[in-house]
Amino acid sequence: MNIKQIRNATLVVEYAGKKFLIDPMLAEKGAYPPFPNSLRQDQFNPLVDLPTSIENIIHDIDAVIVTHLHLDHFDDVAKDVLPKDIKMFVQNEEDATEVRNTGFQNVEVLQEDTVFEGIQLIKTKGEHGRGEILKLAGIVCGVVFKHSKEKTLYVAGDTVWYDAVQEVIDTNKPEIIAVNGGNNQFFEGGSLIMGKEDIFEVNKAAPNSQIIVSHMEAVNHWTLSKAELKSFLDEKGISSTVFVPDDGESYTF
């Protein structure tokens, strides 16, 4: 498999001969207002440019997976530029209705036993924060990829570390895990996605797995920098198995 970090949580995953686009945020730098009640209120989102053209990103994509409908995971530009007949996977019927309402005709709700072109796609639970903030953040999902000719991949999505993430790791034993780091948060409510201690818990739960940390430094409410995370990984002695990619960087497993 090949996993390419595009920007924010947007990944291109080539797996068992098929090419998946995950959580596309494709607007130009500065296209959207900052998320309110958080850091960098003077900086518009996304904070950085795409590492390559939209044409390159969406070329030969076989399917799109949208883990939830927040702007930084499925934006207006993605809705405009993606072919309306492309295969779209979403987490529930509510999201499917919204995606269909934007013109997409081939929308499927992920299940725990979805199969696409011989690839098993398993929808996983996530919690987009802890406590009261969950009501505001809403429902999210992740996905596990399985195929007889590939290592198992777990894309955790916008979740903090909690018991259901441990359960996915214990049940599916993924050799490759992609998590959303950056410790993004508002001034109240705490972490919305993983911070460095959450990522360390993933490593402890799956010490033999290789972990890619996405969703960093691209929208205004991030609080954990790539440099700080890399320093933490060095301190814990796990930088050889936990990767913090630059936008445009890819890994083959």
Side-chain angles (χ1 to χ4, degrees):
M1 78 183 83
N2 183 273
I3 301 171
K4 185 171 187 177
Q5 167 67 31
I6 302 299
R7 180 186 61 189
N8 200 49
T10 307
L11 301 173
V12 171
V13 174
E14 295 181 52
Y15 191 91
K18 297 298 172 183
K19 199 170 180 181
F20 296 84
L21 177 64
I22 299 177
D23 286 349
M25 183 192 199
L26 301 177
E28 291 184 358
K29 177 182 175 181
Y32 307 118
F35 292 117
N37 191 33
S38 57
L39 294 171
R40 304 176 193 85
Q41 288 300 297
D42 59 337
Q43 295 183 34
F44 278 51
N45 292 317
L47 305 180
V48 293
D49 291 312
L50 288 168
T52 186
S53 69
I54 289 175
E55 290 74 23
N56 284 342
I57 294 166
I58 68 173
H59 180 67
D60 282 345
I61 292 293
D62 294 294
V64 180
I65 298 174
V66 178
T67 62
H68 62 297
L69 298 182
H70 287 169
L71 177 73
D72 58 333
H73 292 257
F74 187 50
D75 73 344
D76 296 339
V77 175
K79 293 171 190 175
D80 285 342
V81 303
L82 287 168
K84 290 299 185 281
D85 61 349
I86 198 165
K87 184 69 176 185
M88 301 284 293
F89 289 104
V90 297
Q91 65 170 334
N92 55 30
E93 286 296 344
E94 291 80 4
D95 284 13
T97 297
E98 285 199 46
V99 172
R100 288 186 188 109
N101 286 343
T102 60
F104 292 95
Q105 302 143 16
N106 191 4
V107 185
E108 182 175 342
V109 176
L110 282 168
Q111 309 293 336
E112 290 191 5
D113 56 355
T114 297
V115 177
F116 174 73
E117 302 287 349
I119 299 163
Q120 187 180 7
L121 300 173
I122 302 167
K123 183 174 73 174
T124 62
K125 295 176 182 177
E127 290 204 342
H128 203 346
R130 297 181 176 94
E132 289 297 307
I133 196 72
L134 284 172
K135 295 175 186 173
L136 175 66
I139 299 169
V140 296
C141 80
V143 60
V144 169
F145 294 69
K146 287 188 174 183
H147 189 275
S148 60
K149 293 183 179 177
E150 293 276 16
K151 294 177 179 177
T152 297
L153 167 66
Y154 172 30
V155 177
D158 267 9
T159 186
V160 295
W161 170 259
Y162 77 119
D163 56 4
V165 177
Q166 174 88 57
E167 192 175 314
V168 172
I169 291 170
D170 291 345
T171 302
N172 296 284
K173 297 178 172 50
E175 291 102 327
I176 313 299
I177 303 172
V179 300
N180 289 346
N183 200 16
N184 296 30
Q185 53 187 280
F186 302 115
F187 289 136
E188 298 173 350
S191 303
L192 291 163
I193 59 175
M194 292 191 185
K196 56 190 180 184
E197 295 293 347
D198 299 76
I199 295 163
F200 188 40
E201 290 298 328
V202 175
N203 169 261
K204 287 193 288 185
N208 298 316
S209 300
Q210 293 173 295
I211 299 167
I212 296 171
V213 185
S214 184
H215 206 318
M216 299 198 74
E217 297 184 0
V219 282
N220 69 285
H221 58 321
W222 69 265
T223 68
L224 173 64
S225 71
K226 293 178 184 179
E228 183 183 349
L229 177 56
K230 287 177 181 178
S231 176
F232 175 82
L233 299 174
D234 285 339
E235 178 188 313
K236 296 295 185 184
I238 57 173
S239 56
S240 63
T241 56
V242 184
F243 310 117
V244 185
D246 292 325
D247 289 349
E249 192 169 357
S250 62
Y251 303 90
T252 299
F253 301 103

